[in-house]
DNA sequence: ATGTACTTTGACACCGGTGTCATAATGTCG
DNA sequence: CGACATTATGACACCGGTGTCAAAGTACAT
């Protein structure tokens, strides 16, 4: 019993003495096929090491049991390193897909490129997950484009008022509140924020707003002079903090828009001879692995990546099934560590 | 100019006033088609937002321009976390695939499961990359199985003598040598190894051999009592080191089979009141991000993940093209940090 | 024996491209 | 002007499955 090349359903039909149609039905356990026939077909299939050709199957059924993930890169990011937070998300999304019986196509995209999400158009994936920091303004129009083509997709990111797409995101505003409240409990009065607090980075902006507005409710202001712009890299955080210090801004607490920024900030603070947490309290955002390893370990607002990956996948699947879904907001959680524990 | 549903090549043929065959040729820039016709076809295609159906195309051509990666999990690993080293590899492989114009299917596999690599059989991928620590003995027979089916695949891992598959790996033996030489230069006399030094973890075993044999050439022995078994997790490294100390083994230098193990070891050493590097020198393996952030920062044998990802992809593509390729061994590099810098 | 319902099967069109072959149109040369 | 090469195009089979429809076979009631 042998075939040239990979076995097809016709080969099985031949050896099992039935028609190809019956083979197809038997292998998918259709109730239309006789028990004994089914057994025989399976037996032959196993012997020939048969596997359904997904291309043929997908072509006929017009669906792929596959999702695609598009990872946008921080445009200035180091080419060889990937933001560890997104790497975690990638891991949890992979797991969530596996659990749902879907395959996952992974692709990196430079945000500047024309990232028309080809996967869904070319029937390689049933839906798309978009993931990445980046300039929201830059790709807003592209989202619109996807929408107009009826492409099924969900985004990880800020759920900005009036944003047209479906998102899953951390409650960034609430996260900023947690940080502010913690500083207030610690009796801190002069707070600074490191990160891009503009509409170009809606996630960071939302974190900042939650932070600032909570402080103000307690009579603490965090105005323009107390913000240093930074993208989500260690270097950028280092330089931003450095320039604050160089400008002689006085502060006793620092909230960074991400852990990478916070790690860079800590380096700058240490170099300036400031003690953490005695002189300056520091809070980050994300809870990446490194934040637990640095000295002092970093108090941070945790994003639950496991849950986030799951929600992205289940929401996308709902969307594909045509169900009505809404934006999902995940609760942040403050992880207390040494950088605020004086 | 409108179509119901997604546009097909027939729709384009209709609007461009040519046959579907010509459309197919024109879109693939076949030299057989007239310049003006080509222009017209492209124009219509763009207007209709046409994208080739990859399922149909792959079905016909019997190839997919897709690679698949199978990630094996450390059986005892925490369900929600992925070994950061492999996460890095995943990132670099993704990048390498993109550079070669291939898509990447990602899949997690429990090593205990029947991980018949279905992707290639089902024509979803042209080749497979296998990645993961794990018990080699467990899946050796499965590799044999893949080979016998003429599946194209490459493995990341130890290139064990007589291993039947094609591998890309770090020169683990050389890495062990680097660690030993460094200890010798530092005048260390009592060395221990933390990790599974058995044929069940051939990579760790090779690292150990390079380490041990180099030490012996300098008259230093590293026998059974100086080895503590551990899998590649922080916890395991912690407990292994703890038990060495509890058994009153004296040592002034510790080589861990991986950075995660080393991080756990450092924790145990610190708790025992030992100073690093004064009392004990520590060297890890991998150079994951965390090793740069812990205190003291960790001297480690770096594996070049960027290069590794590239080699895995290019080797696999060569294999698919039917070219003759051989195992690839990548040079390790010792990264000096505080844990050995007294 | 005849009619009806149900089970099981095979024939066949179809998904949307790609590759082969035949043919029409144009150009070139003796 | 006819023979022949060259260029451009269309018709059609094909990749390997899935879904529909008709029909054969069996069971049971009338």
């Amino acid at each position: 019993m042998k075939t040239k090349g990979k076995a097809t359903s016709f080969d099985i039909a031949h050896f099992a003495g039935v028609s190809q149609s019956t083979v197809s039905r038997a292998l998918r356990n259709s109730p239309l096929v006789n028990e004994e026939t089914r057994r025989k077909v399976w037996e032959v299939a196993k012997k020939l090491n048969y596997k359904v050709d997904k291309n043929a199957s997908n072509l006929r059924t017009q669906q792929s049991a596959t999702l695609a993930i598009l990872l946008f890169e921080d445009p200035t990011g180091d080419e060889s390193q990937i933001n560890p937070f997104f790497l975690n998300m990638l891991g949890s999304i992979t797991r969530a897909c596996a659990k749902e019986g879907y395959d996952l196509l992974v692709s990196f995209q430079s945000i500047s490129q024309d990232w028309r999400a080809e996967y869904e158009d070319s029937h390689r994936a049933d839906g798309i997950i978009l993931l990445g920091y980046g300039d929201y303004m830059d790709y807003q129009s592209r989202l619109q484009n996807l929408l107009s083509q009826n492409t099924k997709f969900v985004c990880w990111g800020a759920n900005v008022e009036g944003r047209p797409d479906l998102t899953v995101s951390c409650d960034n505003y609430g996260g900023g509140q947690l940080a502010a409240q913690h500083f207030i409990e610690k009796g801190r009065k002069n707070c600074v924020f490191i990160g891009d607090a503009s509409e170009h980075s809606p996630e960071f902006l939302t974190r900042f707003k939650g932070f600032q507005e909570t402080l103000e409710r307690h009579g603490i202001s965090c105005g323009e002079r107390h913000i240093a712009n930074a993208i989500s890299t260690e270097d950028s955080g280092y330089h931003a903090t450095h320039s604050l210090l160089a400008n002689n801004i006085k502060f006793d607490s620092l909230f960074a828009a991400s852990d990478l920024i916070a790690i860079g900030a800590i380096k700058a603070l240490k170099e300036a001879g400031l003690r953490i947490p005695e002189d300056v309290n520091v809070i980050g955002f994300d809870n990446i692995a490194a934040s637990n390893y640095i000295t002092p370990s970093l108090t941070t607002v945790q994003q639950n990546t496991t849950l986030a990956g799951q929600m992205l996948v289940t929401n996308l699947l709902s969307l594909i099934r045509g169900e009505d879904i809404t934006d999902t907001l995940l609760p942040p959680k403050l992880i207390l560590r040494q950088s605020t524990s004086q």
Side-chain angles (χ1 to χ4, degrees), chain A:
Chain A
M1 193 146 77
K2 255 173 63 179
T3 58
K4 37 183 157 56
K6 301 226 184 276
T8 72
S9 51
F10 283 93
D11 297 320
I12 300 182
H14 174 70
F15 289 115
V18 295
S19 75
Q20 182 270 338
S21 301
T22 302
V23 171
S24 174
R25 280 191 286 257
L27 291 178
R28 281 173 301 142
N29 294 318
S30 156
L32 290 178
V33 54
N34 182 283
E35 186 49 40
E36 197 181 342
T37 313
R38 183 201 325 283
R39 249 198 38 255
K40 176 131 200 180
V41 168
W42 271 98
E43 190 185 313
V44 176
K46 184 160 254 172
K47 215 169 276 175
L48 291 182
N49 227 319
Y50 171 80
K51 285 279 142 25
V52 172
D53 184 318
K54 283 282 167 65
N55 289 317
S57 167
N58 291 345
L59 172 58
R60 179 62 224 242
T61 58
Q62 301 290 36
Q63 44 140 341
S64 60
T66 300
L67 302 181
I69 179 170
L70 265 49
L71 272 164
F72 299 100
E73 323 227 28
D74 244 327
T76 50
D78 174 354
E79 268 303 308
S80 70
Q81 282 311 69
I82 299 169
N83 187 312
F85 174 73
F86 289 124
L87 226 37
N88 276 347
M89 288 289 289
L90 178 56
S92 72
I93 288 169
T94 309
R95 278 228 169 60
C97 278
K99 216 163 72 181
E100 301 283 348
Y102 273 68
D103 287 327
L104 184 68
L105 269 167
V106 177
S107 149
F108 278 76
Q109 304 267 335
S110 159
I111 197 160
S112 54
Q113 239 171 264
D114 177 24
W115 51 270
R116 288 245 325 89
E118 315 235 330
Y119 291 117
E120 206 256 352
D121 290 343
S122 59
H123 292 285
R124 302 216 51 178
D126 298 336
I128 300 174
I129 294 171
L130 297 171
L131 189 59
Y133 287 134
D135 193 328
Y136 176 58
M137 315 304 265
D138 264 15
Y139 60 95
Q140 193 169 15
S141 66
R142 298 179 187 165
L143 294 184
Q144 204 67 55
N145 201 338
L146 283 184
L147 273 175
S148 72
Q149 288 167 48
N150 201 27
T151 298
K152 310 295 186 193
F153 69 99
V154 293
C155 293
W156 169 258
N159 68 333
V160 176
E161 192 65 31
R163 180 160 172 172
D165 55 325
L166 272 162
T167 61
V168 173
S169 64
C170 175
D171 178 0
N172 290 301
Y173 191 90
Q177 286 183 307
L178 287 177
Q181 278 156 13
H182 191 55
F183 283 155
I184 289 163
E185 282 162 18
K186 294 284 177 183
R188 300 281 151 167
K189 305 275 186 223
N190 297 299
C191 308
V192 295
F193 176 82
I194 316 278
D196 181 12
S198 79
E199 71 276 13
H200 291 284
S201 305
E203 296 177 278
F204 287 3
L205 178 58
T206 312
R207 289 169 196 178
F208 172 68
K209 279 192 181 154
F211 181 67
Q212 183 189 41
E213 291 173 17
T214 306
L215 288 178
E216 274 174 359
R217 241 174 282 127
H218 288 78
I220 302 174
S221 88
C222 183
E224 200 158 319
R225 294 188 62 238
H226 299 90
I227 305 173
N229 195 9
I231 62 167
S232 194
T233 67
E234 193 182 329
D235 263 9
S236 184
Y238 173 82
H239 291 299
T241 308
H242 199 76
S243 73
L244 274 187
L245 294 169
N247 287 335
N248 238 358
I249 310 290
K250 299 289 173 207
F251 55 91
D252 56 12
S253 45
L254 183 156
F255 177 40
S258 78
D259 281 354
L260 285 177
I261 293 175
I263 289 170
I266 286 176
K267 190 175 163 208
L269 295 173
K270 278 181 170 173
E271 280 184 17
L274 293 164
R275 293 166 306 162
I276 306 169
E278 294 81 356
D279 300 327
V280 181
N281 273 8
V282 179
I283 299 181
F285 210 109
D286 285 348
N287 195 25
I288 62 174
S291 62
N292 191 31
Y293 292 126
I294 59 169
T295 305
S297 59
L298 178 66
T299 293
T300 190
V301 180
Q302 176 178 41
Q303 306 203 60
N304 186 337
T305 53
T306 305
L307 186 56
Q310 254 167 42
M311 291 307 299
L312 281 167
V313 170
T314 56
N315 276 5
L316 181 52
L317 292 180
S318 297
L319 191 63
I320 289 168
R321 283 191 297 265
E323 298 166 18
D324 242 359
I325 63 167
T326 55
D327 288 342
T328 303
L329 213 56
L330 302 174
K333 182 179 168 191
L334 193 67
I335 306 291
L336 299 176
R337 298 211 183 91
Q338 294 164 359
S339 67
T340 62
S341 70
Q342 82 285 19

